[in-house]
């Protein structure tokens, strides 16, 4: 029984033929990996992982309503994501306010999406795909939408990279230096909303964190370099998504379990490596301190009372 389950999960029969069928999904996954890898470090630095989940719920609601009404699912997902991002960006200026707003939006979006799916009379695979992702659903029009939106996000991040980094690390000092912190916050939230909207189409609304947060969290465990963090985050995200698509081909299962497993494994390895480095660094610091500490001399010993 266990062997049959494992064979089903990791079956590679007719693998070459299947890869050709999901060419669009592989391209989409690689592009989304780049987007997630670039925006992820800002999500963590600005303490917005919870916001990603909140936006994904509204994106799911928008896509579900679009599916029910028979209109473009990508359009519905975009409307939901952008609306959520604007609400969070405009109303949640402080972390406590932002978390409260997200906590209100999440159940509302999820409930609205479930209602729309319950009323939808079409294929059940379409319903399931919005939650857990699909690997064969990316047709040429959807790929075109995805590439265009991803290009907008990437160009936006490149343009605002330096001031956004400054505002993310120390917003008070950045504001004092004349950086438009609030405007950058809204621009970033819109870029995040677009990223979530396109990611939902591949990995599903419930597991979008594995693409926009986990790779960046893994990269930050092994380096704090402003150059290497986005590079490693992008590599980890691309490997997770493309690797998940390729593994999901064999078993014919949803892509999300594979993507999340690869992403979590990368994070776990990076955490172990980072932990070893921290322990070694701590030992080196203690050894250096011991070597630099003054040693007692004979004259000092004479002054010490017995």
């Amino acid at each position: 029984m266990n062997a049959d389950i494992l064979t089903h999960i990791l079956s590679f029969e007719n693998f070459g033929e299947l890869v050709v069928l999901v060419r669009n999904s592989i391209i989409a996954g690689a592009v989304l990996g780049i987007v997630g890898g670039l925006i992820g470090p800002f999500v963590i630095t600005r303490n917005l992982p919870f916001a990603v989940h909140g936006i994904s719920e509204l994106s799911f609601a928008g896509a579900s309503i679009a599916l029910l009404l028979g209109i473009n699912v990508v359009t519905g997902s975009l409307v939901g994501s952008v609306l959520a991002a604007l609400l969070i960006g405009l109303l949640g200026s402080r972390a406590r306010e932002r978390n409260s707003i997200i906590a209100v939006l999440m159940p509302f979006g999820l409930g609205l999406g479930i209602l729309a799916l319950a009323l939808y009379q079409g294929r059940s695979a379409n319903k399931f795909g919005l939650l857990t992702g699909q690997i064969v659903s990316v047709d040429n029009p959807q790929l075109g939408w995805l590439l265009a939106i991803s290009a907008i996000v990437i160009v936006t991040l490149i343009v605002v990279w330096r001031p956004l980094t400054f505002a993310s690390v120390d917003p008070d000092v950045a504001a004092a230096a004349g950086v438009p912190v609030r405007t950058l916050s809204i621009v970033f939230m819109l870029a995040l909303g677009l990223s979530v909207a396109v990611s939902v189409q591949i990995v599903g609304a419930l597991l979008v964190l594995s693409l926009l947060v986990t790779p960046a969290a893994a990269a930050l465990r092994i380096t704090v370099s402003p150059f290497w963090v986005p590079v490693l985050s992008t590599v980890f995200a691309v490997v997770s998504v493309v690797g998940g698509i390729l593994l999901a081909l064999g078993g014919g299962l949803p892509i999300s379990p594979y993507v999340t497993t690869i992403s979590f494994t990368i994070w776990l390895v990076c955490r172990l490596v980072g932990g070893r480095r921290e322990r070694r660094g701590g030992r080196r610091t203690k050894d250096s301190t011991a070597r630099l500490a003054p040693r007692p001399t004979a004259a000092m010993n004479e002054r010490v009372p017995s």
Side-chain angles (χ1 to χ4, degrees), residues 64-169:
S64 301
I65 293 172
L67 188 65
L68 175 64
L69 299 178
I71 60 179
N72 193 309
V73 174
V74 178
T75 302
S77 179
L78 282 172
V79 172
S81 291
V82 171
L83 180 61
L86 281 175
L87 287 174
I88 295 171
L90 291 173
L91 301 179
S93 58
R94 296 181 180 180
R96 182 178 298 177
E97 295 174 350
R98 184 170 60 239
N99 289 337
S100 298
I101 293 170
I102 296 169
V104 170
L105 290 176
M106 282 177 57
F108 170 72
L110 187 59
L112 196 61
I114 291 174
L115 174 63
L117 291 186
L119 296 174
Y120 176 68
Q121 300 299 318
R123 294 194 318 147
S124 60
N126 293 334
K127 304 178 183 181
F128 196 56
L130 291 178
L131 291 171
T132 61
Q134 298 183 77
I135 63 174
V136 295
S137 63
V138 184
D139 54 21
N140 289 332
Q142 283 182 314
L143 182 61
W145 272 95
L146 186 145
L147 293 176
I149 296 169
S150 298
I152 292 173
V153 174
I154 292 172
V155 171
T156 300
L157 289 176
I158 292 174
V159 170
V160 301
W161 191 275
R162 293 188 65 182
L164 182 61
T165 301
F166 189 11
S168 300
V169 173

Side-chain angles (χ1 to χ4, degrees), residues 28-284:
V31 172
L32 289 180
I34 295 172
V35 172
L38 291 177
I39 204 169
F42 291 109
V43 172
I44 293 179
T45 304
R46 300 174 73 88
N47 194 25
L48 290 173
F50 193 39
V52 172
H53 197 38
I55 295 172
S56 70
E57 302 293 0
L58 266 294
S59 179
F60 163 69
S64 301
I65 293 172
L67 188 65
L68 175 64
L69 299 178
I71 60 179
N72 193 309
V73 174
V74 178
T75 302
S77 179
L78 282 172
V79 172
S81 291
V82 171
L83 180 61
L86 281 175
L87 287 174
I88 295 171
L90 291 173
L91 301 179
S93 58
R94 296 181 180 180
R96 182 178 298 177
E97 295 174 350
R98 184 170 60 239
N99 289 337
S100 298
I101 293 170
I102 296 169
V104 170
L105 290 176
M106 282 177 57
F108 170 72
L110 187 59
L112 196 61
I114 291 174
L115 174 63
L117 291 186
L119 296 174
Y120 176 68
Q121 300 299 318
R123 294 194 318 147
S124 60
N126 293 334
K127 304 178 183 181
F128 196 56
L130 291 178
L131 291 171
T132 61
Q134 298 183 77
I135 63 174
V136 295
S137 63
V138 184
D139 54 21
N140 289 332
Q142 283 182 314
L143 182 61
W145 272 95
L146 186 145
L147 293 176
I149 296 169
S150 298
I152 292 173
V153 174
I154 292 172
V155 171
T156 300
L157 289 176
I158 292 174
V159 170
V160 301
W161 191 275
R162 293 188 65 182
L164 182 61
T165 301
F166 189 11
S168 300
V169 173
D170 198 331
D172 293 332
V173 175
V179 176
V181 174
R182 184 163 180 78
T183 301
L184 283 173
S185 177
I186 295 174
V187 169
F188 175 76
M189 289 304 300
L190 287 174
L192 181 60
L194 294 176
S195 302
V196 171
V198 292
S199 300
V200 165
Q201 306 305 312
I202 300 296
V203 297
L206 297 181
L207 301 169
V208 71
L209 290 172
S210 64
L211 179 60
L212 298 182
V213 175
T214 309
L220 286 167
R221 291 301 306 176
I222 57 178
T223 181
V224 292
S225 166
F227 173 78
W228 284 111
V229 167
V231 170
L232 290 176
S233 176
T234 301
V235 172
F236 295 159
V238 171
V239 170
S240 298
V241 181
V242 176
I245 292 173
L246 294 177
L247 289 176
L249 285 178
L253 298 173
I255 179 180
S256 49
Y258 297 96
V259 174
T260 53
T261 300
I262 295 173
S263 184
F264 174 76
T265 302
I266 292 173
W267 175 84
L268 186 60
V269 171
C270 290
R271 183 172 180 83
L272 293 175
V273 172
R276 290 189 62 183
R277 286 184 176 180
E278 290 175 1
R279 288 192 294 272
R280 288 180 180 177
R283 285 197 295 268
R284 290 195 189 101

